[in-house]
Amino acid sequence: MKNRSWAFLAGGLLVALLLAGVVSNYASSHPDGLDSSLLKGCTVDADDNIVGGTCPAQQARDHELADSPLADYGVRGVRNSFVSTGLSGVLGVLVTFAIGAGGFWLLRRRGGTPTDADAATPTEGDPATSGDVRRRADAAS
Amino acid sequence: MHISNGIIDGPVAAIFAALALAALTACVLRGRRDLDDRLAPMAGLVAAFIFAVQMLNFPIFTAGVSGHLLGGALAAMLVGPWVGALCVAVVLVVQALIFGDGGVAMLGLNITNMALLGTAAAYALIALLLRVLPRTRAGLAVTAFVAATLSVVVASQGFVLEYWLGGTTDLGNNLGGLAGTMAGVHLLIGIGEGLITATTVLTVAKVRPDLVYALRSLRAPAAPAVPVAGGAR
């Protein structure tokens, strides 16, 4: 990949980290469109807890992983809620990028097509892996 | 729009898990054609960006209700429908398995609505609008806005279908009421989705137009810069 692409990736990641790490603390804590639609028929208090009536939301069960250390976008053990939310967001962005970019990199189409820039160099005699090694070297430079 | 455990019954959730798995497999097989050395890291960035923006619940005009980006239209615009659906699915899996957001048993339903239906509806609209609208920044903005807005409404109706099949509360023949409520509130959320999507796509199109999949694949004749940039498409 060219330097410009690396710069774009780094810039995009930085924006995502700022959004998840800082701006996320200013997000609305009200139920989202689905949850609020399922609350129809119930009455809720100021904290959006159900206090009466019947509605689909009452059937909701606990999440399987409600005890996860990052459950509900907070880091267990971190008392400052601003830091807890921000840190969980930063970790989420990094994990998502690692899984996404890593997975897509492994899935990517290998071996050049005729329009590929480096397909001009003869690779026919090489095993497919040598092309990959060269591509990785290109990407790293 | 993440469904919590207990809202849809187990058998229907299992059927949608199987459907989602089959559809995602198709996305992998077809998406590989789009995934080259340049698109792969870009797709990882799109997934990370969607994760970040999904944390930003914004209030909508109705008091006490919030919404957040789903990301299908943004992903379809930037990395195409097949890889785009996979990007949103990666986000949903991370959210369910690490952040306790959206039941693990409901993952197939959530992937169906947000990753598959949302992205597919968005891409159909993008393909249509990019062909009929003028090839200007305004045309691109309108395309992104309209596709994103309506994709959210389509995704919300996916939930209504699932609730009709396996909802755990008897609505007493008032499924239409749920459909209307869901469509109305998600039209408002969709406006937020549209604004975020249009802003992001315009920004990327300004900095790196060659990284916008929809511009490369749907507007190829009008983008002479693309072959020079070495695109394999």
Side-chain angles (χ1 to χ4, degrees):
Chain A
M1 241 183 349
K2 291 186 219 128
N3 284 339
R4 279 179 72 215
S5 295
W6 284 113
F8 183 87
L9 264 190
L13 262 184
L14 190 66
V15 172
L17 288 170
L18 282 173
L19 292 175
V22 180
V23 183
S24 57
N25 275 287
Y26 303 97
S28 166
S29 57
H30 284 300
D32 72 7
L34 172 61
D35 289 330
S36 71
S37 299
L38 295 179
L39 282 168
K40 216 172 185 183
C42 286
T43 46
V44 295
D45 63 14
D47 293 327
D48 296 312
N49 295 312
I50 296 172
V51 291
T54 49
C55 58
Q58 287 164 319
Q59 299 298 320
R61 299 285 169 264
D62 281 344
H63 194 278
E64 295 92 336
L65 305 170
D67 296 329
S68 152
L70 292 174
D72 292 326
Y73 300 94
V75 182
R76 195 199 297 148
V78 177
R79 293 196 144 186
N80 182 319
S81 74
F82 195 96
V83 175
S84 179
T85 302
L87 197 55
S88 80
V90 166
L91 289 172
V93 166
L94 294 177
V95 167
T96 306
F97 180 73
I99 295 176
F104 290 128
W105 187 256
L106 291 175
L107 282 176
R108 81 193 188 286
R109 180 165 45 80
R110 298 164 212 219
T113 60
T115 50
D116 255 2
D118 55 3
T121 40
T123 53
E124 278 75 13
D126 295 342
T129 46
S130 71
D132 286 338
V133 171
R134 187 164 41 74
R135 276 158 178 275
R136 291 209 180 98
D138 287 348
S141 61
Chain B
M1 202 194 283
H2 298 60
I3 304 169
S4 302
N5 281 334
I7 299 298
I8 308 281
D9 68 31
V12 170
I15 291 167
F16 275 91
L19 282 176
L21 193 62
L24 290 179
T25 306
C27 287
V28 167
L29 295 175
R30 179 59 187 82
R32 283 196 72 179
R33 279 193 238 164
D34 294 335
L35 274 173
D36 54 19
D37 287 11
R38 190 177 54 169
L39 195 80
M42 178 70 185
L45 175 60
V46 167
F49 187 81
I50 290 173
F51 175 90
V53 183
Q54 284 212 358
M55 283 183 78
L56 311 179
N57 280 57
F58 48 82
I60 59 172
F61 307 111
T62 318
V65 180
S66 74
H68 62 72
L69 182 88
L70 301 187
L74 180 62
M77 208 51 155
L78 295 179
V79 294
W82 311 97
V83 178
L86 294 172
C87 284
V88 182
V90 166
V91 172
L92 295 172
V93 169
V94 168
Q95 288 169 331
L97 295 185
I98 301 181
F99 292 91
D101 191 10
V104 177
M106 303 290 127
L107 196 48
L109 301 158
N110 284 323
I111 287 177
T112 300
N113 296 340
M114 290 184 268
L116 301 172
L117 283 177
T119 309
Y123 194 72
L125 285 161
I126 291 167
L128 173 74
L129 292 173
L130 277 187
R131 286 191 177 102
V132 299
L133 289 175
R135 293 178 169 175
T136 59
R137 281 178 65 76
L140 184 64
V142 170
T143 299
F145 179 83
V146 172
T149 302
L150 295 180
S151 74
V152 176
V153 178
V154 170
S156 80
Q157 297 308 298
F159 170 77
V160 174
L161 171 74
E162 292 156 2
Y163 205 85
W164 175 61
L165 292 170
T168 48
T169 298
D170 185 6
L171 293 176
N173 286 331
N174 196 20
L175 192 78
L178 178 67
T181 307
M182 283 291 284
V185 72
H186 284 96
L187 187 62
L188 295 177
I189 294 172
I191 292 172
E193 173 111 8
L195 293 173
I196 296 170
T197 304
T199 307
T200 309
V201 168
L202 282 185
T203 305
V204 177
K206 191 168 192 176
V207 184
R208 290 292 304 272
D210 56 309
L211 291 182
V212 181
Y213 178 99
L215 291 183
R216 273 183 288 144
S217 65
L218 298 170
R219 273 190 189 171
V226 171
V228 181
R233 295 199 48 74

